[in-house]
Amino acid sequence: MAKKLFYPGHTGCAGCGMAIIFRHVVETLGPDMILVNATSCSEIISTPYPRTCLGVPYIHVTFENAASVASGIVRALKAQGNTHTKVVIFAGDGGTYDIGFGAVSGMLERNENVLYVCYDNEAYMNTGNQRSSATPKFARTTTSPVGKIHPGKDMFKKPIVEIVAAHKVPYVASASVGYINDLNDKLRKAASMDGSKFIVVFSPCVPGWGEDPSVTLDVGKLVVETGLWKMVEIVDGKRTLTYRPKERKPVGEYFRTQKRFKHMTKEMIGEMQAHVDKEWEMEG
Ligand SMILES: Cc1ncc(C[n+]2csc(CCOP(=O)(O)OP(=O)(O)O)c2C)c(N)n1
Ligand SMILES: [Mg+2]
């Protein structure tokens, strides 16, 4: 990483996955950047007015329009003849998979010269843990409660990597806080390319997931080792797995680390194992 651009004293929870990712995004890509930050935990913890933990130019935008604002900044820099400053978005899954998705899709369709980083903590966390389309099946949130009728969330997670890749942008990748060197490699590679780049990063949330603050990095590894989170890269349409677990661990090991999955029965775990096994059949 380059020089210090993300300072101590932010208000993130102990063990927050996003704060680790945020620091690496800013310090790996900065300082010649303009950071566009959608409303989310990342904005709340980094910029409680009048303080900030960020050492780069920053604009906080509404939940739904980060991709539109970033597009405007790209145009303004172009009008100024500035060909070096990177425009980087940092946004949550709610702002990306759901509410800001129209703007994201428009940005990708125009192939704007923006690097979009989505940290995926699998729910709307800063408003108290409501489910998003990134929430995995069976996870308990306040709006996918566990009861007699519903076993937590009923649906699978939205396949955002494939959806973004369908826009045929130059670079799409997934990463995890558990593999930080891989994330930094992907950030550097994406930043060296023109056009729209998109990286989604697995980001454990201590209070929302009911995990111990000490296990964030372990959970970020386990989700990959069980095969629940694939680490991929799609460069100019060519897809590669950037990490393949030697032997996939049983998914139950991952579910056991978090209270949001505490209610899962053997059958539910079996269903998820079958789902993951099927997902991996295509990898050969
Ligand atoms: C249109 C709109 N709806 C709802 C809100 C309230 N709101 C602010 S942040 C947020 C959740 C953000 O979720 P996500 O993008 O996943 O980031 P996280 O909080 O999980 O870090 C919500 C619902 C809002 N600001 N604007
Ligand atoms: Mg979220």
Side-chain angles (χ1 to χ4, degrees):
M1 273 192 283
K3 67 188 265 246
K4 192 137 204 65
L5 297 169
F6 188 93
Y7 294 91
H10 64 73
T11 60
C13 304
C16 173
M18 171 270 291
I20 300 167
I21 296 162
F22 205 175
R23 176 163 66 88
H24 283 266
V25 167
V26 170
E27 296 191 348
T28 299
L29 300 175
D32 188 9
M33 69 190 284
I34 295 177
L35 180 64
V36 181
N37 189 199
T39 299
S40 59
C41 284
S42 60
E43 168 250 330
I44 301 288
I45 68 141
S46 65
T47 55
Y49 182 81
R51 290 171 293 142
T52 180
C53 70
L54 295 162
V56 294
Y58 174 90
I59 180 167
H60 163 227
V61 297
T62 69
F63 199 21
E64 53 275 67
N65 70 349
S68 308
V69 172
S71 302
I73 293 171
V74 166
R75 306 298 171 92
L77 289 172
K78 196 171 172 199
Q80 290 173 348
N82 180 331
T83 52
H84 50 84
T85 302
K86 299 179 207 57
V87 180
V88 179
I89 295 175
F90 196 64
D93 52 291
T96 306
Y97 286 62
D98 294 345
I99 296 187
F101 187 72
V104 173
S105 180
M107 179 197 93
L108 299 170
E109 185 249 337
R110 296 188 304 273
N111 197 22
E112 302 282 359
N113 193 17
V114 173
L115 170 44
Y116 195 116
V117 181
C118 169
Y119 66 96
D120 186 356
N121 57 18
E122 303 193 317
Y124 295 70
M125 289 309 184
N126 98 80
T127 42
N129 195 7
Q130 294 84 29
R131 61 83 100 188
S132 75
S133 59
T135 303
K137 188 163 185 181
F138 297 124
R140 178 203 293 267
T141 70
T142 56
T143 49
S144 60
V146 177
K148 286 203 178 86
I149 298 173
H150 295 284
K153 194 187 172 201
D154 294 299
M155 306 88 186
F156 288 102
K157 208 176 155 74
K158 194 190 256 188
I160 197 75
V161 169
E162 289 76 8
I163 293 167
V164 171
H167 292 74
K168 306 214 182 301
V169 290
Y171 189 85
V172 189
S174 54
S176 169
V177 73
Y179 296 84
I180 215 74
N181 291 339
D182 173 80
L183 170 65
N184 283 323
D185 288 346
K186 285 171 176 164
L187 287 168
R188 280 188 214 99
K189 189 163 177 180
S192 72
M193 298 169 81
D194 283 330
S196 293
K197 288 83 58 175
F198 182 95
I199 305 176
V200 58
V201 193
F202 182 81
S203 178
C205 171
V206 171
W209 295 8
E211 60 153 45
D212 190 274
S214 66
V215 301
T216 295
L217 298 183
D218 296 334
V219 169
K221 286 193 175 73
L222 206 45
V223 76
V224 174
E225 296 295 341
T226 52
L228 281 157
W229 183 270
K230 287 183 186 174
M231 298 222 289
V232 303
E233 199 170 55
I234 304 169
V235 184
D236 290 327
K238 193 173 176 302
R239 178 183 182 280
T240 42
L241 275 178
T242 52
Y243 180 83
R244 179 189 285 270
K246 280 197 188 74
E247 206 167 317
R248 274 186 286 121
K249 293 191 169 150
V251 294
E253 284 190 29
Y254 169 78
F255 294 128
R256 270 197 290 282
T257 59
Q258 300 155 56
K259 292 203 181 82
R260 64 177 174 155
F261 297 120
K262 205 170 162 216
H263 60 284
M264 281 179 77
T265 58
K266 264 198 188 115
E267 289 69 34
M268 293 175 193
I269 293 172
E271 182 188 326
M272 289 307 291
Q273 187 65 64
H275 175 72
V276 170
D277 291 347
K278 194 153 183 264
E279 286 284 316
W280 278 84
E281 268 171 27
M282 67 177 263
E283 306 296 349

